[in-house]
Amino acid sequence: MRLKVIAGFIAFFLLVSCNNKEKMLDSLADYNNERETRGYHFGDRLELPKEVSEYAESITISFNDKETTNLTIDPKFFTLGDNKVVFIIKTKNGETLSQDATINVFTKNKEKEIPYQIIADYPHNPDNFIEGFLVEGNTVYESDGLDNASQLIKYTLGATVPTIIKKQPANVFSEGCTIVGDKVYQLTYRNKIGFIYDKNTLEKLSEFPLPNIIGEGWGLTYDGENLVATDGSKNLYFLDVNDPSKVVKIVPVAGNTETYENLNELEYHKGFIYSNVWHKPIILKINPATGEVVGKFDFTKLTNENNEGNSEYVLNGIAFKGDNMLITGKNWKKIYEIVIK
């Protein structure tokens, strides 16, 4: 009889323990799902439900190769955007539980809608599937992609005939480009290499392997110190200009309510990075030190006027002529000069 009573107590204890475990994990899952949509800001504290806090001896958050028991959203640990984490809970009865979660961190300030005015337009070759676009003085450098049709070209703004065309091998799909001194740096889409050309002649000088962490080459610019690249994710990759295979730092990009994936063509101007978002008619103004999107241009009207009903004819060209912005897109017939108000 005594053994049956002991066995009963053990069974009861196990049942209670199991119920508590399920309550903790279910409650934590509900909390995480709700906060994933709403997000956090730096300085916020994770107010975990009482079903977790009452039965937890300790709570650890694991993120990549780091761990913390601090439940405050600390920029030393988290980044802007989606942070894939694991909650590790040690219960008061000695169990260890774990649960995956996404902690979205957004900026405290809402992105400002930036007003602008179109003051001029210039012809653009509608055959060009533009990937990289930059202007130096009155000279345009343009990297055009597509399989078996990639090229780097140079022409005078307003002209319809290029001064130099550099055709690229059939297996190369050209992507973003930028100028550093007397050289043009160019990415490729999936070839995992970049090229360096003489700015004046467009003759190839050398090539370099892309860092392994960059899955694909998309956009490229130069901030005066480092090359800055995108690969279609939320990240800006800062590369050593003397060794572009070396990543100096990675800065994720987010706004007040969303993480911006598909960052594409880039341009650096007066302390900010400007980026379009692939398949969206917008250009973001980004603080490169933090990844915070401080402003946004809406070019829906221009995109609709130029896409000819083709979903691939997207906004994809950003440059500056003085303080005026120049924009164009894949297979667009025009380049537009914009005054930022």
Side-chain angles (χ1 to χ4, degrees):
M1 181 67 180
R2 186 178 177 185
L3 291 175
K4 289 183 179 180
V5 172
I6 293 173
F9 274 118
I10 293 173
F12 176 76
F13 176 79
L14 291 174
L15 179 61
V16 170
S17 176
C18 184
N19 286 339
N20 286 341
K21 173 181 174 180
E22 289 180 0
K23 281 183 181 179
M24 290 177 72
L25 293 179
D26 288 346
S27 179
L28 182 58
D30 291 342
Y31 172 80
N32 286 332
N33 289 336
E34 189 272 332
R35 285 309 303 249
E36 183 176 343
T37 302
R38 189 152 52 100
Y40 297 88
H41 302 104
F42 289 127
D44 288 352
R45 183 172 175 80
L46 280 71
E47 300 293 346
L48 299 181
K50 65 179 183 179
E51 289 86 352
V52 176
S53 58
E54 285 182 357
Y55 294 102
E57 184 72 34
S58 67
I59 300 169
T60 301
I61 302 174
S62 175
F63 176 49
N64 292 334
D65 58 348
K66 301 178 291 184
E67 288 189 349
T68 184
T69 56
N70 182 4
L71 297 184
T72 299
I73 304 300
D74 187 341
K76 294 179 181 177
F77 187 79
F78 296 101
T79 68
L80 282 176
D82 53 331
N83 298 265
K84 305 296 184 183
V85 306
V86 179
F87 282 89
I88 303 170
I89 303 167
K90 290 186 178 179
T91 68
K92 290 178 179 178
N93 65 5
E95 290 186 277
T96 300
L97 311 177
S98 64
Q99 188 174 90
D100 295 340
T102 298
I103 293 179
N104 280 320
V105 183
F106 301 129
T107 62
K108 288 187 176 181
N109 299 315
K110 185 174 175 57
E111 306 89 302
K112 294 180 180 179
E113 293 290 337
I114 303 176
Y116 61 88
Q117 179 183 356
I118 301 170
I119 61 167
D121 61 64
Y122 308 90
H124 179 255
N125 188 339
D127 293 333
N128 291 354
F129 197 76
I130 189 168
E131 298 290 354
F133 179 69
L134 57 106
V135 173
E136 188 179 71
N138 209 36
T139 302
V140 180
Y141 296 82
E142 187 171 322
S143 175
D144 302 317
L146 291 179
D147 293 322
N148 302 310
S150 289
Q151 59 183 1
L152 182 63
I153 61 175
K154 180 178 176 180
Y155 58 93
T156 302
L157 183 63
T160 56
V161 178
T163 52
I164 302 176
I165 299 176
K166 180 67 176 180
K167 295 288 184 182
Q168 293 171 308
N171 68 325
V172 168
F173 192 120
S174 297
E175 284 284 347
C177 62
T178 193
I179 288 175
V180 181
D182 59 358
K183 298 181 177 71
V184 177
Y185 288 70
Q186 182 192 46
L187 300 182
T188 58
Y189 181 33
R190 289 177 173 167
N191 301 87
K192 296 294 289 184
I193 56 173
F195 299 119
I196 302 175
Y197 301 90
D198 180 278
K199 181 180 72 175
N200 298 311
T201 64
L202 298 190
E203 290 302 312
K204 191 175 87 168
L205 301 175
S206 60
E207 58 184 64
F208 55 90
L210 294 185
N212 289 331
I213 197 169
I214 295 180
E216 299 173 345
W218 284 41
L220 190 67
T221 191
Y222 177 59
D223 67 1
E225 182 178 357
N226 298 301
L227 297 170
V228 186
T230 56
D231 65 350
S233 68
K234 66 175 181 178
N235 294 326
L236 297 174
Y237 299 92
F238 291 73
L239 311 179
D240 187 335
V241 69
N242 297 311
D243 180 8
S245 301
K246 179 182 177 183
V247 177
V248 176
K249 63 179 177 178
I250 301 172
V251 178
V253 173
N256 182 246
T257 61
E258 64 180 304
T259 300
Y260 287 98
E261 301 281 347
N262 292 322
L263 299 178
N264 198 359
E265 220 269 314
L266 301 176
E267 185 71 17
Y268 178 84
H269 183 69
K270 290 191 172 179
F272 292 94
I273 288 178
Y274 296 79
S275 174
N276 78 294
V277 178
W278 186 52
H279 274 281
K280 288 189 177 182
I282 60 173
I283 289 176
L284 308 177
K285 182 180 181 181
I286 304 165
N287 180 340
T290 63
E292 177 179 357
V293 178
V294 299
K296 181 164 55 175
F297 297 84
D298 185 345
F299 291 113
T300 300
K301 186 173 182 293
L302 279 184
T303 300
N304 290 341
E305 289 174 359
N306 285 275
N307 64 17
E308 299 182 5
N310 190 321
S311 62
E312 295 303 316
Y313 289 8
V314 294
L315 174 71
N316 204 59
I318 312 166
F320 275 87
K321 181 173 178 271
D323 285 330
N324 292 347
M325 181 185 286
L326 297 175
I327 66 164
T328 188
K330 298 178 188 292
N331 301 104
W332 285 22
K333 295 178 180 178
K334 292 182 179 180
I335 297 168
Y336 297 90
E337 184 172 352
I338 307 295
V339 169
I340 301 171
K341 293 184 177 180

